Amino acid sequence: MKQNLLIFIDFSRKLIKNRDMLKTMALREMKARYVGSFFGIFWAMLNPLFLVAIYGVIFGVFLGSRPDPVYGTENFFVYLVCGLLPFLFLSESVNATA
């Protein structure tokens, strides 16, 4: 267990040490990916927001879906975001590896 902690601490130090390089590489990748789209890099933020808004209106307002109170919220939009955004992140990550 202690060995795993030391490996994690060493990895964290390396990430902090190289954070500028990681930031530059991530921005370059985002710019290259969205260079041909109409909204550009803002599409990375607008697409999930539009998706949550459309699903929220259709299922929350028109169809009247409500989460079970066992899940800790009565608000459908919060429930939707908590499930949809991790799924979108995972989906984009898997698609980017291909």
Side-chain angles (χ1 to χ4, degrees), residues 8-91:
F8 177 74
I9 290 172
D10 183 51
F11 180 72
S12 299
R13 285 181 182 160
K14 288 179 182 178
L15 281 179
I16 292 170
K17 180 181 174 186
N18 296 315
R19 66 182 175 268
D20 292 331
M21 180 188 66
L22 292 171
K23 180 181 171 185
T24 303
M25 290 173 65
L27 285 175
R28 185 180 67 184
E29 179 68 26
M30 291 291 286
K31 287 178 184 177
R33 181 174 181 172
Y34 295 106
V35 72
S37 68
F38 182 71
F39 289 112
I41 199 167
F42 294 110
W43 187 247
M45 292 176 281
L46 291 176
N47 187 23
L49 290 176
F50 285 151
L51 192 63
V52 167
I54 290 169
Y55 281 172
V57 169
I58 291 173
F59 290 109
V61 176
F62 293 139
L63 297 177
S65 298
R66 298 285 176 248
D68 194 352
V70 174
Y71 296 119
T73 183
E74 298 276 334
N75 190 342
F76 181 73
F77 286 102
V78 172
Y79 183 73
L80 180 68
V81 168
C82 289
L84 195 58
L85 289 184
F87 169 76
L88 291 173
F89 175 75
L90 180 66
S91 173

